[in-house]
Each structure stands twice: as C-alpha cells, then as structure tokens.
Amino acid sequence: MINSTSPPAKIDIISIQGFGSGVIFIRINIGVSNLRVGSTPHSQNSSCSSRIWLKLFLEYLKTVRHFSAKSLTAYARDIREYQSFLEQKKWDEEELDTARTRLFISYLSGKDLKVSSVNRILSSLRSYYRFKQQTGHSKHNPWEGFK
C-alpha cells in the first residue's frame, strides 16, 4: 500500500512490457512527497493507490494489449465506478470477499443496467484484478467466479 500525506503530483509510466510467460514489467516514476510503503487502514491513501493501479492497468491495456481508445474509456469508466462504490463503503480493493462482491452486483442491479452492461463491468473487474495478480499486488481475484 502506498501512503502519502498528499496525492501523487504526477505518475509517469516509463515503460510496460508483457512477456509470453505472463510476466509484466512496469517502470514508473511517481512524484510523491513523504512517500512511505506499508499497510494502513482504508483512507485517502487507499484511493490514491487505487488510482495509481488503474492508471497502470490502462497503460498496460494500451501499450501491451493494444486496446482501442473506446475500450480504454469503457474499462476506465467501469473500474472508476467500482472504486467509487468501494470508497463510499470505506472498503479496500484487497479486502473484498464474496459477500462484498455480491453487494456491488446488487448495487449495479439497482441502477437498472442491462445484463450485458453488468457482464461488461464484471469482465473489466476480472481483468483488472488479474493484472494486479500478475504484477504481484493482489493475492486473489474476487471476481474470478462471477460470470
């Protein structure tokens, strides 16, 4: 978890490389004052970390997977909606369990979205957590069992 007294001023992604073995190498430059690495309760630091991981994920989709601008926009929208939901609940991305994932699905169902839209959001989340697993940031993918 990245902790800082202020949000990052700038996140520069220097390079992202994907290898056939599923290994992803990311070089980034994060302009953060008072940077400290550790684990803390959910706070603004957690949402800061979430924004960093979303930016890294989108850059990976763009540079390694060659996704279109339209696809990147959809992934960003889906994951930001999810992150906003987590922030409202004061939940951390890495503390999700089956009950909490079901609550998010219920939240989506209450928005009168089409089934295809809900499925797209779940697919985005599965991909996002798979990326976080491949980069060693997430131990599990809470969305893997949901289709």
Side-chain angles (χ1 to χ4, degrees):
M1 179 91 40
I2 296 175
N3 302 318
S4 168
T5 57
S6 62
K10 187 172 184 181
I11 303 169
D12 293 320
I13 298 171
I14 298 166
S15 67
I16 297 181
Q17 298 173 341
F19 299 95
S21 61
V23 174
I24 300 169
F25 179 72
I26 304 170
R27 291 182 49 209
I28 61 172
N29 178 25
I30 303 174
V32 179
S33 59
N34 301 320
L35 180 66
R36 190 168 53 105
V37 177
S39 177
T40 61
H42 180 84
S43 65
Q44 284 184 329
N45 298 328
S46 182
S47 64
C48 172
S49 177
S50 297
R51 287 190 305 271
I52 292 168
W53 279 101
L54 175 57
K55 184 164 183 168
L56 290 171
F57 177 60
L58 294 173
E59 189 65 26
Y60 162 76
L61 293 178
K62 179 181 173 185
T63 60
V64 176
R65 303 282 309 277
H66 307 291
F67 277 34
S68 70
K70 186 175 178 180
S71 293
L72 293 171
T73 300
Y75 271 85
R77 181 183 55 243
D78 294 345
I79 295 168
R80 283 188 186 118
E81 169 120 21
Y82 166 70
Q83 290 174 338
S84 176
F85 174 82
L86 293 180
E87 287 175 18
Q88 290 173 358
K89 298 287 187 183
K90 300 199 182 326
W91 294 343
D92 187 273
E93 284 187 5
E94 297 308 311
E95 297 172 351
L96 249 61
D97 57 14
T98 304
R100 288 180 174 184
T101 54
R102 290 183 194 279
L103 283 174
F104 180 68
I105 293 171
S106 294
Y107 161 78
L108 293 175
S109 298
K111 293 184 71 170
D112 293 327
L113 297 172
K114 294 181 183 178
V115 173
S116 59
S117 296
V118 172
N119 287 337
R120 188 202 65 240
I121 292 168
L122 297 180
S123 177
S124 297
L125 292 171
R126 276 192 301 276
S127 296
Y128 176 63
Y129 273 92
R130 194 173 308 120
F131 170 78
K132 289 176 75 174
Q133 283 179 304
Q134 290 172 337
T135 56
H137 186 68
S138 183
K139 294 178 183 163
H140 75 291
N141 186 338
W143 300 103
E144 202 58 51
F146 291 94
K147 302 255 181 206

